[in-house]
Amino acid sequence: MAERTEEMLLNVGPQHPSTHGVFRLVVKVDGEKITDAIPVIGYLHRGTEKLAEDLTYTQIIPYTDRLDYLTSMANNYAFVQAVEKLMGIEVPERAEYLRVIVMELNRIASHLVWWGTNLLDLGALSPFLYAFRDREMIINMLNEISGARLTFNYMRIGGVKWDAPEGWIEKVRKFVPYMREKIKEYHTLVTGNEIFLARVKNIGVYDAETAINYGLTGPVLRGSNVKYDIRKNQPYSIYDRFEFDVPVGENGDVYDRYMVRMEEMVQSLRIIEQAVEQFPESGEIQAKVPKVIRPPQGEVYTRMESSKGELGVYIVSKGKDKPYRMKLRRPSFVNLQLLPKLLIGRTMADVPAILGAIDIVLGEVDA
């Protein structure tokens, strides 16, 4: 007698732990096999782009913290970079070094949350605890320089809010070798584990052409052997002064995207180490800008490499103290397009691994 199955609709989120509260996935399953997948966004919609039309340029900066509250420093930078380009502002060198250091620290902290929560979704508790132990050290350093632990609000148009406190650069210097050793421990703990490999090898595979056609950026693009990193391909700030590699995968599966992020943490440590060595002993941290920011009439689009991919800001100015229009290009929002293609034909057991590899962790799928 043939086995009889019945198609079911299942909600993966927004309460499901694999999506951490901000994203819903509706899947149709026939037995264990997924026959359709529909991403549903909007559970964290703040209307930031529309709100910006009624805020001064300085008032917008705290709103960028909340776009992705795992990488507030990068969000701050993406916005102030666009305004600075529109106004032709030259940022002091000391401020640029501080920006790079805090952004790369924040990138590592973001990847640590990804590593810990992704493995928690796959059934491993210990990595989550280790990741948050080491992330706490970064959060403490960012708290010391910015006065906040999550929504840092540290960047300013023309520079940064405060200079580094006494002894802070030395703390960052000591953190680099410590974190290098911890990443090696992470690999010992997880990367060779046969249960982990069974969950991620040859799962969620897509090639470079597919990644490019879907507009993917960040680790989900580089995992398919596309060597594109805005810090290298279109350098901004002072990234052209640093030596670092752009890690890529070969097979385009969940494992490759895992390894790309792990190696990105190593490369971020390289950048931080060089920035600390080159850090100017003195200098201004803020360019001279008007008290009321009024960019000239025009429009601008700037991009930067966030932890999840290309974060872009488009601003239209009418010469007033508030933008006429603002549009944000959020990386996870774009990367999500690929989900149905990856999930259809797979089983429910593959959902957490595939979602985690696209980096659905808190924050920024909907601004």
Side-chain angles (χ1 to χ4, degrees):
M1 185 177 177
E3 185 179 348
R4 186 167 171 263
T5 60
E6 183 178 336
E7 190 174 75
M8 295 176 61
L9 268 180
L10 295 178
N11 286 290
V12 185
Q15 76 289 343
H16 192 281
S18 71
T19 59
H20 305 277
V22 302
F23 171 71
R24 177 187 176 206
L25 180 68
V26 181
V27 294
K28 286 183 182 178
V29 293
D30 185 0
E32 274 290 303
K33 193 173 183 180
I34 298 171
T35 59
D36 197 11
I38 306 164
V40 184
I41 61 172
Y43 288 88
L44 206 62
H45 188 69
R46 302 182 185 87
T48 303
E49 296 161 330
K50 194 65 181 173
L51 286 169
E53 297 172 17
D54 200 38
L55 297 167
T56 66
Y57 286 91
T58 304
Q59 287 173 330
I60 293 169
I61 299 173
Y63 284 77
T64 66
D65 297 345
R66 280 83 177 166
L67 295 175
D68 174 1
Y69 33 95
L70 291 180
T71 51
S72 296
M73 291 294 190
N75 303 335
N76 282 181
Y77 180 82
F79 173 71
V80 299
Q81 174 189 227
V83 180
E84 288 161 359
K85 185 174 181 180
L86 198 55
M87 297 181 70
I89 294 172
E90 187 172 343
V91 179
E93 190 174 68
R94 188 177 174 91
E96 290 283 25
Y97 275 96
L98 286 170
R99 286 178 171 188
V100 166
I101 292 169
V102 297
M103 283 194 290
E104 293 306 317
L105 284 172
N106 205 179
R107 187 187 309 276
I108 297 170
S110 176
H111 280 353
L112 287 175
V113 175
W114 156 79
W115 187 73
T117 55
N118 189 17
L119 288 158
L120 188 65
D121 294 339
L122 295 179
L125 175 60
S126 296
F128 178 82
L129 302 176
Y130 296 150
F132 272 69
R133 174 199 64 190
D134 297 329
R135 175 178 175 268
E136 189 70 12
M137 296 182 68
I138 298 175
I139 297 303
N140 286 339
M141 287 188 288
L142 295 180
N143 181 26
E144 195 174 336
I145 197 170
S146 72
R149 290 179 54 83
L150 189 67
T151 50
F152 301 112
N153 190 25
Y154 180 59
M155 309 289 179
R156 290 293 180 268
I157 296 166
V160 293
K161 181 167 60 173
W162 291 311
D163 203 345
E166 186 177 347
W168 189 84
I169 291 293
E170 191 57 36
K171 286 182 182 179
V172 175
R173 191 195 308 273
K174 291 179 180 178
F175 173 75
V176 172
Y178 167 85
M179 194 63 215
R180 282 200 178 113
E181 289 304 310
K182 293 307 171 186
I183 292 172
K184 291 177 184 177
E185 288 182 13
Y186 298 167
H187 283 299
T188 302
L189 178 68
V190 174
T191 309
N193 183 287
E194 60 182 281
I195 300 173
F196 169 72
L197 293 175
R199 299 293 300 274
V200 297
K201 280 275 192 178
N202 300 315
I203 303 294
V205 180
Y206 54 87
D207 60 14
E209 184 181 3
T210 300
I212 293 168
N213 289 343
Y214 274 83
L216 306 186
T217 57
V220 296
L221 171 68
R222 295 188 284 273
S224 294
N225 203 16
V226 180
K227 203 169 187 176
Y228 178 78
D229 186 313
I230 299 170
R231 294 172 297 173
K232 278 279 191 184
N233 294 78
Q234 299 176 35
Y236 53 90
S237 185
I238 53 172
Y239 276 102
D240 55 354
R241 301 185 187 184
F242 307 120
E243 292 183 8
F244 63 98
D245 299 323
V246 178
V248 295
E250 294 180 0
N251 303 315
D253 58 6
V254 170
Y255 176 78
D256 277 355
R257 296 193 282 281
Y258 168 92
M259 290 301 294
V260 164
R261 288 191 181 91
M262 296 298 284
E263 183 58 27
E264 279 189 6
M265 289 194 281
V266 175
Q267 298 306 318
S268 287
L269 290 172
R270 283 183 68 189
I271 294 170
I272 293 168
E273 188 172 51
Q274 293 170 73
V276 167
E277 291 303 320
Q278 299 174 21
F279 189 69
E281 292 185 6
S282 61
E284 297 294 325
I285 59 161
Q286 177 66 47
K288 291 183 179 179
V289 297
K291 286 187 176 180
V292 179
I293 304 292
R294 288 191 178 91
Q297 187 166 333
E299 57 187 88
V300 67
Y301 178 79
T302 58
R303 54 171 62 90
M304 59 90 63
E305 190 72 36
S306 178
S307 64
K308 297 174 178 68
E310 179 180 326
L311 176 57
V313 179
Y314 173 67
I315 295 174
V316 179
S317 170
K318 296 290 186 180
K320 298 182 179 180
D321 62 344
K322 300 170 184 176
Y324 177 69
R325 290 286 186 272
M326 187 173 84
K327 174 66 180 173
L328 302 166
R329 194 262 184 216
R330 290 96 69 201
S332 289
F333 183 87
V334 177
N335 294 344
L336 274 172
Q337 298 176 87
L338 192 62
L339 257 187
K341 179 180 176 67
L342 296 182
L343 292 175
I344 294 172
R346 305 301 308 184
T347 65
M348 284 298 297
D350 294 328
V351 172
I354 291 173
L355 280 177
I358 293 184
D359 211 1
I360 302 300
V361 183
L362 300 168
E364 81 47 46
V365 293
D366 199 5

